[in-house]
Amino acid sequence: QVQLVESGGGWVQPGGSLRLSCAASGGTLGSYAMGWFRQAPGKERSFVGIINWLNDATIYPNSVAGRFTISRDNDKDTVYLQMHSLKAEDTARYYCAAATTWPTSRPDDYHYWGQGTQVTVSS
């Protein structure tokens, strides 16, 4: 059973940057596509991006494309979400998740989830 733990969240001013980490234990991430999602209060969980387990290909929705970058270090079993040019509407709890389907933005396709880390963007 893979366990995922996110870290790196916090408060940042608009235009700032943050890097989130997602560390795995109890298994290796090497055979999973890793996705990031976010959920703001009163809203549904939304897809932020995904990285392929073989070739590091990535896919992002238009809302974050060009600002967010996902990377992975299979040796450390860690996935990263680098966020730049943050906006107030990026405020949410961010989750990493592992899937065996590529590509997918559907939360139901993800088998393992972390507990999330809060990102707050405000002045």
Side-chain angles (χ1 to χ4, degrees), residues 88-110:
E89 51 262 44
D90 294 319
T91 295
R93 192 165 186 83
Y94 283 71
Y95 300 86
C96 67
T100 54
T101 302
W102 170 268
T104 179
S105 61
R106 298 176 62 244
D108 287 349
D109 288 336
Y110 289 78

Side-chain angles (χ1 to χ4, degrees), residues 44-62:
E44 293 186 352
R45 191 165 296 190
S46 63
F47 175 69
V48 174
I50 186 174
I51 186 166
N52 187 279
W53 63 90
L54 289 178
N55 57 16
D56 287 351
T58 52
I59 297 174
Y60 306 96
N62 289 339

Side-chain angles (χ1 to χ4, degrees), residues 8-67:
W11 173 82
V12 63
Q13 291 185 330
S17 300
L18 276 178
R19 189 179 79 156
L20 307 184
S21 299
C22 171
S25 61
T28 178
L29 294 181
S31 58
Y32 292 96
M34 295 300 298
W36 285 92
F37 290 79
R38 64 187 181 186
Q39 188 167 21
K43 295 188 177 181
E44 293 186 352
R45 191 165 296 190
S46 63
F47 175 69
V48 174
I50 186 174
I51 186 166
N52 187 279
W53 63 90
L54 289 178
N55 57 16
D56 287 351
T58 52
I59 297 174
Y60 306 96
N62 289 339
S63 58
V64 306
R67 299 188 299 123

